[in-house]
């Protein structure tokens, strides 16, 4: 008898063989860049907990969106940081609200080169920081919030957004926004549902990025980190309500949920590599503890391997540049 009988290392013998047998690939068009635009600033502002990411002015947003398009990313996802907030988040569906104004500008600039997308949620626009409107007792009012989302969705479509990212985790939000869009003639506007969005610690730096007013937490609407089956159920419900794309978020701590959702639905599945995931790798790299480029590309490849068809990542433009070098 001769051992070993199996030699899987044969497939790893050279860069050429490894390249030929790689199962999972990452290309620039699978990456979406989240971007922040802030009302009332004259220069882009750094976000201290997210080194390399900025709150943009309208002008710097346009320039950065153009750079992202040139790098070949698949889309940009816009988040607005308004100067004024109120209880119902009225800036969200105001055509002169910062997010809608920015959407119009970015769509005019790069709308043909990539997919212009907008975050559809009230948390940046409310003075209490919750993703919906509140009842008298302080709880988030699901059904009253749906009406606000419907108005916000129509305003975003009118401003030129091609894809709405429904990140509020209200029950029935996909159906409510779909109905409102269709009633106004926006039958082509895509809905991407943040179906399995978990309440946890990894959104910390984002709260600085959008100057979040939130006190407390989002545990009555976002998912409990212990629940995988419930994430799949949410994705199935969103598909039934008409979601064109579903999402799992955060990415790395929830790869099992991502794989399960991928196996359970027949629409594209996306993942959001969130602010905390970004900042961990940036911080470790800045300390010289980890190879930055290697860790970034490996994390993105891992998210793809688990089942993501596309990934929202703050490294989208930079990673797209590296991926083009490799081609
Ligand atoms: C809510 C929203 C959040 C993120 C994206 N959309 C914040 C939250 O749910 O608290 C977080 C993204 C990130 O951390 O990178 N509109």
């Amino acid at each position: 008898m001769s051992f070993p009988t199996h030699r899987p290392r044969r497939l790893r013998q050279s860069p050429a063989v490894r390249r030929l047998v790689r199962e999972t690939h990452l290309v620039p068009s699978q990456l979406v860049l989240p971007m922040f635009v802030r009302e009332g600033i004259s220069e882009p502002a750094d976000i201290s907990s997210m080194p390399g990411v900025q709150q943009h002015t309208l002008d710097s947003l346009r320039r950065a969106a153009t750079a992202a398009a040139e790098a070949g990313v698949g889309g940009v996802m816009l988040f607005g940081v308004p100067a004024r907030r109120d209880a119902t988040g009225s800036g969200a569906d105001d055509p002169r609200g910062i997010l809608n104004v920015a959407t119009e500008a970015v769509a005019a600039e790069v709308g043909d080169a990539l997919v212009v997308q907008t975050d559809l949620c009230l948390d940046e626009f409310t003075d209490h920081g919750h993703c919906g409107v509140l009842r008298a007792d302080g709880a988030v009012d699901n059904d009253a919030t749906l009406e606000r989302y419907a108005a916000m969705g129509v305003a975003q479509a009118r401003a030129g957004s091609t894809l709405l990212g429904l990140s509020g985790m209200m029950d029935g939000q996909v159906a409510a926004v779909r109905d409102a869009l269709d009633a106004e003639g926006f039958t082509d506007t895509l809905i991407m549902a943040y179906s399995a969005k978990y309440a946890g610690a990894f959104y910390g730096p984002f709260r600085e990025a959008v100057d979040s007013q939130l006190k407390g937490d989002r545990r009555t609407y976002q998912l409990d980190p212990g629940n995988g089956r419930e994430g799949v159920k949410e994705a199935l419900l969103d598909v039934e309500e008409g979601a064109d794309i579903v999402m799992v978020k955060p990415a790395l701590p929830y790869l099992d949920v991502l794989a399960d959702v991928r196996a359970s639905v027949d629409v594209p599945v996306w993942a959001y590599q969130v602010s905390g995931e970004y900042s961990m790798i940036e911080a470790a790299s800045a300390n010289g503890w980890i190879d930055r480029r290697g860790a970034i590309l490996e994390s993105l490849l891992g998210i793809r391997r688990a089942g993501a068809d596309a990934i929202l990542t703050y490294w989208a433009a930079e990673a797209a540049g590296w991926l083009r070098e490799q081609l």
Side-chain angles (χ1 to χ4, degrees), residues 79 119 121 123-124 131 167 194 197 202-203 206-207 218 222 249 272 274-275 314:
F79 292 89
D119 183 58
C121 189
D123 63 321
E124 283 96 36
C131 293
S167 66
Y194 287 54
K197 177 172 177 181
F202 287 92
Y203 309 138
F206 177 93
R207 305 259 165 100
R218 306 197 196 286
Q222 298 179 352
K249 171 189 177 181
Y272 196 146
V274 301
S275 57
Y314 299 98

Side-chain angles (χ1 to χ4, degrees), residues 86-138:
D86 58 28
T88 58
S90 55
D93 55 323
D94 181 343
R96 287 155 311 168
I98 181 63
L99 180 54
N100 296 322
V101 169
T103 300
E104 230 178 289
V106 171
E109 193 91 8
V110 293
D112 294 329
L114 47 68
V115 179
V116 176
Q117 319 178 15
T118 44
D119 183 58
L120 199 166
C121 189
L122 286 176
D123 63 321
E124 283 96 36
F125 297 93
T126 52
D127 54 12
H128 46 73
H130 273 294
C131 293
V133 294
L134 304 183
R135 292 193 315 228
D137 66 359

Side-chain angles (χ1 to χ4, degrees), residues 238-280:
D238 284 345
V239 171
E240 212 178 285
E241 288 183 27
D244 300 291
I245 299 164
V246 296
M247 173 183 275
V248 175
K249 171 189 177 181
L252 281 188
Y254 297 93
L255 293 183
D256 57 328
V257 181
L258 182 56
D260 288 348
V261 169
R262 177 61 290 171
S264 307
V265 301
D266 54 9
V267 298
V269 177
W270 291 8
Y272 196 146
Q273 182 177 53
V274 301
S275 57
E277 299 177 70
Y278 175 89
S279 300
M280 287 194 298

Side-chain angles (χ1 to χ4, degrees), residues 149-213:
Y149 287 179
M152 191 176 184
V154 169
Q156 293 185 344
R158 200 162 273 141
S161 178
T162 299
L163 181 151
L164 313 184
L166 276 57
S167 66
M169 289 298 286
M170 295 300 126
D171 294 338
Q173 62 182 10
V174 172
V177 173
R178 184 74 270 160
D179 280 357
L181 290 171
D182 291 353
E184 294 291 324
F186 295 110
T187 51
D188 284 340
T189 305
L190 291 152
I191 290 182
M192 188 270 288
Y194 287 54
S195 301
K197 177 172 177 181
Y198 286 85
F202 287 92
Y203 309 138
F206 177 93
R207 305 259 165 100
E208 181 196 347
V210 298
D211 190 17
S212 172
Q213 305 297 303

